[in-house]
Amino acid sequence: MKKALFYLFFCTIGIGKTLGQTQSAVAKDTLFNKPYIDADEWREKPVRHRYVHGGFEGTEARFSFYFPSKEQYKGHFFQYITPFPDNENLSQGAEGEEDKIGFSVSHGAYFIETNGGGRFDFTGQKKASDPLIGAYKANAAASQFSKTFASKIFGPHRTYGYAFGGSGGAYRTIGAIENTEGVWDGVVPYVVGSPMAIPNVFSVRMHAMRILNDKFPQIIDALEPGGSGDMYAGLNEEEKAALVEVTKMGFPPKSWFGYKTMGVHGFRAIYSGMTMADRAYFQNFWTKEGYYGSKPPASFLKARLQKTSKIKKGIPYVEAVDTKLVEPMSDQEKGTAEAAWKSLGNTEGTLPVAFQLEDILPNVNFLGGDLLIKTGEAAGKTIQLLAVVGDKVVLGATAPQILAQIKTGDEVVVDNSNFLAAQTYHRHQVPGKEYKVWNQFRNEKGEPLYPQGSFLLGPMFTRGASGVLPNGKFKGKMIMLESLWDREAFPWQADWYRSKVIENLGDKANENFRLWFTDRALHGDLTKQEDPTRTVSYVGVLQQALLDLSDWVEKGIVPAPSTNYEVVDGQVIVPETANKRAGIQPLVALKVNGGKRADVKSGQTVTFAAVVEVPPHTGKIVSAEWDFEGAGTFPISQKAISFDEKKGHFSLKTTYTFSKSGTYFPTLRVASQREGDAKTPYTRIQNLDRVRVVVK
């Protein structure tokens, strides 16, 4: 079971020989000297454009280009870099704000998407070749060829290029511009991790999820408007310690609202490789002093599952979807930062994606684990488990030949011992002192409190994604975006990269780099949010960043300054006003009856007042929507918005009457747009605020 981590191991094998390669080497690479076109046609949807598809002879690299008309073209392209090598047609079928093709073409850019040299194989059956092909070579080759093709269409001209990518795509975007010249003029990486992100952001999160599962409702309530503000109130010592640990590591506390559905995200893609890579850790965990499992608390032992059973039947993908055992991935999700790790199941043919066992499994709040095959043709094999539901187990990516060997009656063991061990792995991966969030695991002398492994896994993962470790050295310009409620790429990591840029560019850093934080935004780049009364999409910020980046490079128009912030105990803290915060996101300050909470009687009129601010020269408010009873649909729109761009703020006032008792969190959501265009689906930058109303 070799997954993403093994891919990065394959990638690492050749790193020493390729670290010095730059664009000159890419340009001379004979692997990509025979491009071909196998489709060239005009299409009418999502907007009229010329679609060109092709690849490079002798390789698996494929690309798709989407060109605007000559009248629309403005001399540049936008290139989307996926979280891992995937498919060159992922962006087709998207609608509205999420339509990358429509956005690019309608703004005078042609759009590029590649398969990164060949779709990433999570089963590990496909051997990696040159690690830099998937890192940036295939993307660079497609970009360079696109310029040649664009010159044939539009005539000889200087073509400017801009790449953007989130999550794993952010690693690859940064690696691309740091290790090439003359390919891209600028990049927009977003929801960015550091070289120590994986697996540590997930291990500490899962540790907290296991211990705090029953206490999250009260933690969330304390952080809601009108709450006590003390998220530690009512926790025992074990629970408090877990919450302190994960918070100091950088998890944004307000993002715990999604604890029921957030799962383990990207950890599922690296878990099996992690257990193979660091066998010593998992062997020592339950026996050696200094490891959490050597003297486990009662709650930890209660969470351990080791159950022997037999295979009753295999469950194929269609049946698993029909019975809601697994969730299908929508077209809108494909290739996004949020859904990057949802494609681990075997979704083709009749091979099983789950098994039904002869026994009901104990309920231990199972987050993940292993299926150990004890008898039959596959005896000795181990399959990763993503979920346990009654007598059924859901499988991770598995080699087809192994699945074909497993038969009814084969004896198996469901075991989550290693998965539990992984939840404190971060304590044994203490990096250099520049990673301050690990200070909680150092003594007064700066020495680690716990036994340490012989190597750090995080940097190996980063090398696998981007070819090399990020160093802050690049030619061109960069606008980096980070979400303040990001659970998968904790916000402080963008500050880590900014420190590297400053370290390398010094006083000139501001001439080439911006960092904008987006409040209330998560890791995923879908406009359909987990809870739209709590969070907003960052897609509008991303789109505006691409437009601002091109203006910065081509016209010398300096973009808005970086967001002002400070990092305190792993948390990124931003000012409360738009002028002081900077960046490009509007701010909303909502009150009910003069405060953040109102206790009223049914039928009593409640007054809401809000002040909406926009950072200087970043646009106008174009929409204001109210959701009073938590529907998530924002059914009431403010009809008249008289926004004074010179003042940069305006006030709203309204009333509402609640007819039923209960606790409500009325929400005001606004959107700004640079030109004040209320009709465009693009570059709408959102924010919101909430209050609490208790109706008796």
Side-chain angles (χ1 to χ4, degrees), residues 545-671:
L546 286 167
L547 299 180
D548 287 353
L549 180 66
S550 65
D551 281 346
W552 196 10
V553 171
E554 298 166 37
K555 302 175 183 178
I557 299 175
V558 178
S562 294
T563 304
N564 290 314
Y565 66 92
E566 58 180 337
V567 182
V568 181
D569 282 338
Q571 296 297 306
V572 175
I573 310 299
V574 293
E576 295 295 325
T577 64
N579 279 339
K580 292 182 179 179
R581 186 178 298 190
I584 64 172
Q585 187 183 26
L587 270 68
V588 187
L590 178 62
K591 292 185 177 181
V592 54
N593 288 356
K596 296 302 290 184
R597 171 174 175 156
D599 292 78
V600 301
K601 295 180 179 180
S602 177
Q604 181 180 341
T605 299
V606 183
T607 301
F608 297 91
V611 175
V612 181
E613 299 179 279
V614 178
H617 314 297
T618 61
K620 302 176 182 179
I621 297 296
V622 295
S623 70
E625 306 165 296
W626 294 92
D627 192 316
F628 292 106
E629 299 191 13
T633 57
F634 293 87
I636 301 175
S637 296
Q638 200 77 24
K639 293 182 179 180
I641 300 175
S642 55
F643 179 72
D644 188 335
E645 193 171 5
K646 292 182 179 179
K647 292 182 179 179
H649 65 84
F650 78 107
S651 299
L652 288 176
K653 202 169 195 179
T654 192
T655 60
Y656 191 79
T657 302
F658 295 88
S659 59
K660 297 180 181 180
S661 61
T663 299
Y664 300 88
F665 290 93
T667 305
L668 172 63
R669 183 175 67 186
V670 305

Side-chain angles (χ1 to χ4, degrees), residues 242-277:
L243 187 53
V244 168
E245 182 173 343
V246 71
T247 303
K248 285 189 174 182
M249 279 290 283
F251 188 99
K254 290 183 179 179
S255 204
W256 283 122
F257 78 87
Y259 76 98
K260 290 183 179 180
T261 57
M262 69 171 66
V264 300
H265 202 265
F267 186 75
R268 61 197 292 190
I270 62 171
Y271 164 67
S272 293
M274 176 184 172
T275 59
M276 291 183 176

Side-chain angles (χ1 to χ4, degrees), residues 198-266:
I198 307 298
N200 304 296
V201 297
F202 298 116
S203 62
V204 71
R205 185 175 98 174
M206 293 185 298
H207 177 68
M209 289 171 67
R210 178 184 60 79
I211 294 174
L212 296 168
N213 184 62
D214 295 333
K215 295 300 175 67
F216 281 127
Q218 69 186 55
I219 293 170
I220 296 164
D221 185 76
L223 297 175
E224 288 280 29
S228 69
D230 183 3
M231 65 180 180
Y232 298 103
L235 303 183
N236 63 33
E237 290 303 311
E238 180 186 19
E239 293 162 345
K240 182 178 179 180
L243 187 53
V244 168
E245 182 173 343
V246 71
T247 303
K248 285 189 174 182
M249 279 290 283
F251 188 99
K254 290 183 179 179
S255 204
W256 283 122
F257 78 87
Y259 76 98
K260 290 183 179 180
T261 57
M262 69 171 66
V264 300
H265 202 265

Side-chain angles (χ1 to χ4, degrees), residues 37 39-40 50 52 65 67 110 144-155 157:
I37 301 297
D40 186 347
R50 182 175 175 178
V52 176
F65 304 151
F67 291 99
Y110 66 87
Q144 293 292 69
F145 176 63
S146 80
K147 296 177 183 180
T148 301
F149 200 87
S151 294
K152 293 180 180 179
I153 298 175
F154 304 114
H157 66 284

Side-chain angles (χ1 to χ4, degrees), residues 228-467:
S228 69
D230 183 3
M231 65 180 180
Y232 298 103
L235 303 183
N236 63 33
E237 290 303 311
E238 180 186 19
E239 293 162 345
K240 182 178 179 180
L243 187 53
V244 168
E245 182 173 343
V246 71
T247 303
K248 285 189 174 182
M249 279 290 283
F251 188 99
K254 290 183 179 179
S255 204
W256 283 122
F257 78 87
Y259 76 98
K260 290 183 179 180
T261 57
M262 69 171 66
V264 300
H265 202 265
F267 186 75
R268 61 197 292 190
I270 62 171
Y271 164 67
S272 293
M274 176 184 172
T275 59
M276 291 183 176
D278 200 349
R279 293 179 186 274
Y281 171 81
F282 293 94
Q283 290 170 352
N284 294 335
F285 181 81
W286 295 97
T287 57
K288 296 291 182 68
E289 185 176 351
Y291 294 86
Y292 192 71
S294 64
K295 297 179 181 179
S299 65
F300 197 60
L301 289 176
K302 186 178 179 181
R304 194 176 187 184
L305 171 59
Q306 293 176 300
K307 175 69 175 177
T308 300
S309 187
K310 291 183 178 180
I311 299 291
K312 188 173 183 179
K313 73 168 188 174
I315 303 173
Y317 177 71
V318 173
E319 180 182 343
V321 170
D322 289 343
T323 57
K324 298 184 178 180
L325 193 59
V326 300
E327 292 291 331
M329 184 162 55
S330 69
D331 289 340
Q332 292 291 89
E333 290 179 296
K334 291 177 181 178
T336 65
E338 182 62 22
W341 311 109
K342 288 186 179 181
S343 58
L344 298 191
N346 303 280
T347 59
E348 298 179 2
T350 58
L351 289 174
V353 299
F355 288 117
Q356 183 178 9
L357 307 182
E358 291 185 354
D359 300 278
I360 299 292
L361 297 164
N363 183 5
V364 296
N365 189 27
F366 186 90
L367 294 176
D370 300 294
L371 186 70
L372 313 180
I373 315 300
K374 291 298 185 181
T375 64
E377 293 180 46
K381 303 293 184 182
T382 298
I383 298 176
Q384 181 187 355
L385 295 181
L386 306 181
V388 166
V389 183
D391 61 348
K392 300 176 181 66
V393 293
V394 181
L395 313 178
T398 309
Q401 55 266 43
I402 295 177
L403 290 174
Q405 291 175 339
I406 300 174
K407 303 293 191 299
T408 298
D410 286 353
E411 186 175 276
V412 297
V413 177
V414 178
D415 191 346
N416 70 345
S417 299
N418 283 346
F419 204 92
L420 289 174
Q423 294 172 14
T424 48
Y425 190 76
H426 54 280
R427 297 179 180 180
H428 307 271
Q429 290 278 293
V430 177
K433 293 183 178 179
E434 71 270 21
Y435 291 97
K436 296 179 181 179
V437 299
W438 266 270
N439 285 346
Q440 60 184 309
F441 307 119
R442 298 183 177 104
N443 61 23
E444 294 180 355
K445 296 180 180 179
E447 302 165 335
L449 296 172
Y450 302 99
Q452 296 298 297
S454 59
F455 57 89
L456 299 175
L457 278 184
M460 297 176 69
F461 178 89
T462 307
R463 283 193 182 99
S466 61

